[in-house]
Amino acid sequence: MLQGWIQIALTLVIVIGTTPLLGRYIAQVFMGEQTLLEPIINPLERIIYVLSGVRHQQNMTGWQYTQALLYSNLFMGILVYLILMFQGWLPLNPTGLSAPNWDLALHTTISFVTNTNQQHYTGETTWSYASQTFALGFLMFTSAGTGITVSIAFIRGLTGRQLGNFYSDLIRSITQILLPISIIGGLLLLLAGVPETLARPATITTLEGATQVIARGPVAHYEIIKELGENGGGFFAVNSAHPFENPNGFSNLLEQWAMMAIPTSLIYTYGIFMNNRKQAWLVFWMVLIIFLFLVGITAVGEFGGNPLVNSLLGGEQPNLEGKEVRFGWAQTALWAVMTTATMCGAVNGMHDSLMPPGGFVTLFNMFLQIIWGGQGTGTAYLFIYLILTVFLTGLMVGRTPEFLGRKIEKKEIVLASIILLVHPFAILIPWAIVFAFPNTLSGISNPGFHGVSQVIYEYASAAANNGSGLEGLNDHTLWWNLSTSISILAGRYIPIMALLLLADSMSGKKPVPITTGTLRTDTKLFTAVTAGVILILGALTFLPALVLGPVAEAFQLVAGN
């Protein structure tokens, strides 16, 4: 047990230690300051600007920024959909795979263009090397970059700056952040044993004399951006539990760091933009404390094991069902919390086999979306909670709320409410429809409380742009492909539009002088109140779903049923 807790602690120490370094670098990139990579990257960016004709120095309004984002995502989505549907005629298809059903290709395209990467397919038997590399791998960079640009535009607006230029921000996020780290990380994964090849699957003869076909492909470069960009869609069906995606402890540590690196660092980046690193660290520690509590719940549940199994064995044994022995209970539990906290969605074990505490935590993370949240957008959602806390505390004392020296008025509260209300609607409405027609729509493999979790998890994963799933669900159907696509689109673009419009509104406000009556937001008391608001709103909104799913399942196990 001690070894497992030490592994968890060391992983988190590394993540915390790199947070200010990467956070400062990201701030330098988007504040136009000199960085070590600029002599190498600047010529490449100039070529891109010339070829694309982008007026990268032209600032955009909130609506212009939104339009640029939507149009570019639509264009990339159409391009990728065509690649997927015509993969049978394209090169780099050594096994001769044909096009999938139109609804699966549509769901996959929507899922990857929105940074969700929800998989209703088996990667190695559905997509060619060309589809995985030039379609899905391409979107892993652009979707992650889109999330980063939204977060940067949002904080610019909150601090009274102009929002910037979407195309310029997108190019910077890819060329100066995602691409350099991916190159280094991909090389390290190659050294760790992750393959990177265009050779066809290997055919071998086993010790028993049988013939076995082993899938392989250009995995290393795909794997690192999968984690770094909070994408989560695996090259193989079992994702990072596959030895070709995640062969050993070193690769597991590297991928966990990549998963956490940007979401944690962006909070520090916000502090630099605000010129208030104290508030950034207070918010960081608030989220970290909640995160550690959730890791503890999950780890204790997995270490304690299944009481029904333990009663047969005559003692407590860790729950190793659905886990890789090379990672064990501790690293699988930590990964499960990380991947749902960061909205990455990659897995190194099957979440369907988690004990009820782990199921509760993974759902809770996707319901809140701010521990640590999606690529860029999660940190923006976190500051929405700060704005709501300022508003609520302002109501208590009868004072017009202010945040970062600017008044919070009706328009900002309406937009903030939209951001938070879209999420439960995108989850709970389709969840209710499924259970209204369980025989025709559900596809659940467990008729009990775990079956409730399977359905709510799928829609929470879609709306939160997470992508992981409880794999007992039969989700490769027309209903699931289309209904989750709607949840994905609503969960991605409606909040983004509201975030950008809110930032635009804040950027146009004149700063209010600080007085003795101004509510300071960089104090421990305000941070604690914010934590309370986050937990209360999250618990009240989704409490029935949690009670009917993992909580009821836990009581059922304890009762021995």
Side-chain angles (χ1 to χ4, degrees):
M1 179 178 182
L2 180 60
Q3 181 182 8
W5 288 109
I6 292 175
Q7 290 174 348
I8 292 173
L10 288 176
T11 303
L12 294 177
V13 166
I14 293 172
V15 171
I16 295 170
T18 58
T19 291
L21 300 177
L22 183 56
R24 187 179 302 110
Y25 174 75
I26 295 174
Q28 289 174 336
V29 168
F30 289 105
M31 295 178 79
E33 299 178 2
Q34 183 74 26
T35 65
L36 292 175
L37 293 178
E38 279 201 357
I40 302 173
I41 299 299
N42 279 354
L44 173 63
E45 290 184 351
R46 283 196 293 269
I47 293 173
I48 295 173
Y49 292 139
V50 170
L51 293 177
S52 63
V54 170
R55 299 176 181 177
H56 62 282
Q57 295 179 335
Q58 179 180 349
N59 284 299
M60 295 180 172
T61 65
W63 183 237
Q64 289 173 333
Y65 206 100
T66 301
Q67 286 181 308
L69 185 153
L70 294 176
Y71 289 149
S72 64
N73 278 221
L74 177 61
F75 174 80
M76 290 185 288
I78 293 173
L79 174 63
V80 166
Y81 182 78
L82 292 175
I83 292 175
L84 299 182
M85 291 303 294
F86 288 99
Q87 73 170 4
W89 288 272
L90 296 176
L92 298 180
N93 187 7
T95 54
L97 294 171
S98 59
N101 296 337
W102 70 269
D103 54 301
L104 177 61
L106 179 64
H107 173 269
T108 303
T109 300
I110 291 173
S111 184
F112 276 74
V113 81
T114 57
N115 201 230
T116 308
N117 299 46
Q118 193 174 51
Q119 296 179 253
H120 290 175
Y121 60 84
T122 301
E124 57 266 49
T125 59
T126 304
W127 305 123
S128 67
Y129 292 170
S131 294
Q132 295 261 42
T133 302
F134 300 118
L136 305 186
F138 162 71
L139 289 181
M140 285 186 175
F141 280 95
T142 58
S143 63
T146 297
I148 295 174
T149 62
V150 170
S151 69
I152 295 300
F154 181 70
I155 194 57
R156 283 176 181 151
L158 289 187
T159 54
R161 297 175 173 88
Q162 292 182 307
L163 269 59
N165 183 287
F166 169 76
Y167 299 110
S168 174
D169 290 340
L170 179 62
I171 291 170
R172 285 183 186 178
S173 66
I174 294 174
T175 59
Q176 299 194 40
I177 299 172
L178 297 173
L179 189 59
I181 300 177
S182 293
I183 291 173
I184 297 172
L187 291 173
L188 291 175
L189 287 178
L190 274 170
L191 293 175
V194 178
E196 180 76 17
T197 178
L198 295 178
R200 62 181 296 108
T203 302
I204 64 169
T205 302
T206 67
L207 294 177
E208 293 82 6
T211 299
Q212 182 178 355
V213 177
I214 300 177
R216 53 185 175 177
V219 182
H221 84 278
Y222 193 93
E223 184 69 16
I224 188 63
I225 188 58
K226 181 188 84 173
E227 313 297 355
L228 181 67
E230 310 305 331
N231 291 287
F235 194 94
F236 302 103
V238 294
N239 210 278
S240 295
H242 197 291
F244 283 177
E245 288 198 28
N246 190 6
N248 50 50
F250 172 75
S251 65
N252 194 70
L253 175 62
L254 175 61
E255 291 173 24
Q256 285 178 319
W257 174 84
M259 200 189 306
M260 294 278 286
I262 294 178
T264 55
S265 300
L266 276 174
I267 297 178
Y268 191 84
T269 300
Y270 276 42
I272 295 176
F273 267 92
M274 294 184 295
N275 196 26
N276 191 342
R277 302 188 192 193
K278 177 184 177 182
Q279 178 166 18
W281 278 120
L282 285 171
V283 173
F284 178 90
W285 292 116
M286 176 193 73
V287 178
L288 180 63
I289 289 170
I290 299 173
F291 175 77
L292 291 176
F293 180 71
L294 297 176
V295 170
I297 292 175
T298 305
V300 169
E302 297 307 306
F303 179 77
N306 189 322
L308 299 181
V309 176
N310 290 342
S311 64
L312 298 176
L313 298 176
E316 283 194 357
Q317 295 290 331
N319 173 35
L320 294 179
E321 179 189 349
K323 296 176 176 61
E324 293 296 306
V325 176
R326 65 186 185 276
F327 303 135
W329 65 270
Q331 286 300 305
T332 307
L334 177 61
W335 185 295
V337 182
M338 279 185 168
T339 194
T340 50
T342 59
M343 302 306 138
C344 177
V347 297
N348 73 346
M350 291 301 100
H351 288 192
D352 197 44
S353 298
L354 290 173
M355 297 304 298
F360 178 96
V361 167
T362 52
L363 279 171
F364 189 74
N365 282 336
M366 292 188 291
F367 290 156
L368 288 187
Q369 299 191 91
I370 52 91
I371 311 168
W372 303 85
Q375 189 73 290
T377 56
T379 314
Y381 294 158
L382 179 58
F383 278 80
I384 292 297
Y385 276 107
L386 290 173
I387 291 173
L388 285 179
T389 304
V390 168
F391 175 71
L392 293 174
T393 52
L395 289 179
M396 294 177 186
V397 298
R399 179 181 171 88
T400 302
E402 303 164 9
F403 185 65
L404 301 184
R406 286 165 177 80
K407 289 186 177 181
I408 305 297
E409 297 174 304
K410 177 183 176 181
K411 181 178 181 180
E412 291 74 43
I413 295 303
V414 168
L415 291 170
S417 300
I418 289 173
I419 292 167
L420 297 182
L421 289 174
V422 166
H423 192 55
F425 277 103
I427 296 172
L428 299 177
I429 290 177
W431 178 53
I433 294 174
V434 166
F435 282 101
F437 305 96
N439 295 328
T440 55
L441 298 180
S442 68
I444 62 176
S445 60
N446 190 315
F449 299 117
H450 191 75
V452 176
S453 296
Q454 286 179 333
V455 175
I456 195 69
Y457 194 106
E458 189 73 6
Y459 286 116
S461 172
N465 303 135
N466 179 270
S468 62
L470 299 185
E471 295 307 323
L473 186 71
N474 179 25
D475 51 24
H476 181 20
T477 65
L478 180 64
W479 164 258
W480 283 108
N481 285 334
L482 296 184
S483 64
T484 51
S485 294
I486 294 172
S487 292
I488 289 170
L489 291 171
R492 176 69 165 182
Y493 292 114
I494 295 177
I496 280 180
M497 292 170 65
L499 282 170
L500 292 172
L501 294 176
L502 191 155
D504 192 40
S505 176
M506 292 290 285
S507 68
K509 292 178 180 288
K510 294 182 178 180
V512 179
I514 298 176
T515 66
T516 55
T518 300
L519 174 66
R520 294 193 63 86
T521 58
D522 57 354
T523 64
K524 295 178 181 177
L525 176 61
F526 179 82
T527 306
V529 173
T530 303
V533 170
I534 291 170
L535 296 176
I536 291 172
L537 288 179
L540 289 179
T541 304
F542 293 101
L543 183 60
L546 291 170
V547 169
L548 291 173
V551 173
E553 185 182 358
F555 279 109
Q556 187 180 42
L557 282 177
V558 172
N561 297 325

